[in-house]
Amino acid sequence: MLGNLTKPIRIAIVGDVHDQWEAADEIALQHLNVDLVLLVGDFGNEAVELVARLATLDLPKAAIFGNHDAWYTASDWGRSKSPYDPLVEDRVQQQTDLLGASYVGYGRLDFPELNLSVVGSRPFSWGGPKWKYSDFYESRYGIDSFAASTQRIVEVAENATCEHLIIIGHNGPTGLGDEPESICGKDWGDTIGGDYGDPDLADAISILQAQGKSIPLVAFGHMHHRLRHTKERLRQPIVVHPDGIVYLNAARCPRIISTIERTLRNFSLVTIIDGKVAQAGLVWMTEDFKVGLEEVYWTSKAEISI
């Protein structure tokens, strides 16, 4: 039982979709009674039709794109494998247009009824310490470096009209660990390990904190919970920083699992009370839209009482 007179805000975070989105997902979210839905990208490989379905989600929402959402556009490698003619159609722009106002890549949405502003960090992020795809970012956003990216995120956040900021990205920030099992750790390649977070996002958060901004939650995906180098453990899904920010990786893939007996679909859930995260975890919803399994990652003892 929530031991606070302030109405809790219930937020669902949809991790990397990778083509797994069904009509039942919206019904499940309705049954979870969420106040806000955050979609953190990788909907598919420039999956325009799927993004069109997401755009019809009839709940307050904010979304950002992941690297797979520009799979055939951002890199020379991707363009060489593109199944369509980029001179005829621009599927990245099509996806952006479909999401409309709910798209917050380098943007912001204010939810005054929740006293929350959702700020989007760099969209289409592939992660890591090197600035990649400069032509893509410069042509579409006028951004040519990590420093310029940081400045854009900060400028967007500074204009927020609500007291508390939630920041979403496809990838999380640097500074949360350099082990392969860390929330943004590198777990592939010849040499595993290393912090593969986004340095521009980390710098933006630091600047906003220095300005006194309240940032209860930073939510993202990209780094899947199943590790490539071992099956003995899973990726760390959450980091609770001493400064009060909760960092949550929602990339629990595959997000829909079907067996002969049943189908389960997952959503990360965060409860915010008085501008602070009170609880964070993951739920698996059944076909009859009940919580079949629940994993509580973290609970604030100051905010939750039994």
Side-chain angles (χ1 to χ4, degrees):
M1 179 177 180
L2 294 169
N4 196 306
L5 296 177
T6 302
K7 182 182 182 297
I9 299 169
R10 193 168 170 87
I11 299 172
I13 305 154
V14 180
D16 295 31
V17 171
H18 291 297
D19 300 308
Q20 290 191 316
W21 182 263
E22 302 171 347
D25 285 300
E26 179 167 355
I27 301 172
L29 287 168
Q30 298 281 2
H31 278 76
L32 283 170
N33 295 315
V34 297
D35 300 292
L36 179 63
V37 181
L38 306 175
L39 302 123
V40 296
D42 270 10
F43 305 121
N45 289 349
E46 300 189 15
V48 174
E49 292 182 3
L50 188 146
V51 171
R53 298 201 303 274
L54 286 170
T56 67
L57 177 63
D58 191 21
L59 285 167
K61 62 183 181 293
I64 195 166
F65 289 118
N67 56 301
H68 279 266
D69 302 311
W71 195 248
Y72 303 116
T73 301
S75 68
D76 291 338
W77 175 88
R79 288 189 285 270
S80 71
K81 298 180 180 298
S82 179
Y84 66 93
D85 185 350
L87 297 178
V88 175
E89 58 181 320
D90 184 342
R91 294 189 181 177
V92 168
Q93 190 60 49
Q94 288 175 36
Q95 293 174 99
T96 303
D97 293 343
L98 283 164
L99 286 180
S102 61
Y103 173 57
V104 295
Y106 285 139
R108 187 193 80 249
L109 265 178
D110 299 313
F111 296 91
E113 67 280 6
L114 304 176
N115 198 18
L116 295 173
S117 291
V118 178
V119 174
S121 65
R122 172 164 44 102
F124 305 104
S125 173
W126 293 55
K130 294 182 179 179
W131 181 254
K132 299 178 181 178
Y133 316 122
S134 187
D135 58 339
F136 174 82
Y137 283 110
E138 190 160 11
S139 64
R140 292 179 184 267
Y141 298 100
I143 300 294
D144 61 2
S145 64
F146 283 131
S149 181
T150 295
Q151 182 178 357
R152 179 68 58 84
I153 297 166
V154 171
E155 288 173 351
V156 167
E158 286 176 336
N159 291 317
T161 63
C162 299
E163 182 180 1
H164 307 293
L165 306 180
I166 290 177
I167 300 178
I168 66 171
H170 179 56
N171 191 40
T174 54
L176 301 178
D178 58 5
E179 297 299 320
E181 300 85 6
S182 297
I183 194 169
C184 296
K186 181 176 178 289
D187 67 311
W188 67 88
D190 295 333
T191 304
I192 64 170
D195 188 338
Y196 217 69
D198 287 347
D200 46 342
L201 176 54
D203 288 344
I205 292 169
S206 179
I207 292 169
L208 292 169
Q209 283 184 298
Q211 294 177 356
K213 301 292 187 183
S214 168
I215 308 173
L217 175 67
V218 178
F220 48 91
H222 187 48
M223 302 295 195
H224 295 189
H225 78 297
R226 289 181 178 174
L227 299 167
R228 302 185 195 186
H229 71 290
T230 179
K231 297 185 183 300
E232 299 301 315
R233 59 174 300 181
L234 301 176
R235 183 178 301 281
Q236 179 184 9
I238 191 169
V239 170
V240 181
H241 201 270
D243 60 20
I245 298 180
V246 173
Y247 298 88
L248 179 64
N249 183 337
R252 191 67 174 263
C253 303
R255 61 167 303 272
I256 300 176
I257 298 175
S258 293
T259 65
I260 296 175
E261 292 81 14
R262 61 179 179 175
T263 295
L264 296 170
R265 63 194 70 246
N266 75 58
F267 304 93
S268 294
L269 283 183
V270 172
T271 300
I272 291 181
I273 301 174
D274 284 337
K276 297 179 181 179
V277 173
Q279 184 166 294
L282 184 99
V283 296
W284 291 90
M285 300 290 285
T286 62
E287 298 100 320
D288 56 354
F289 307 113
K290 296 179 180 178
V291 176
L293 298 168
E294 182 174 11
E295 301 174 42
V296 177
Y297 297 151
W298 180 81
T299 296
S300 170
K301 301 304 181 183
E303 298 291 349
I304 302 290
S305 61
I306 302 299

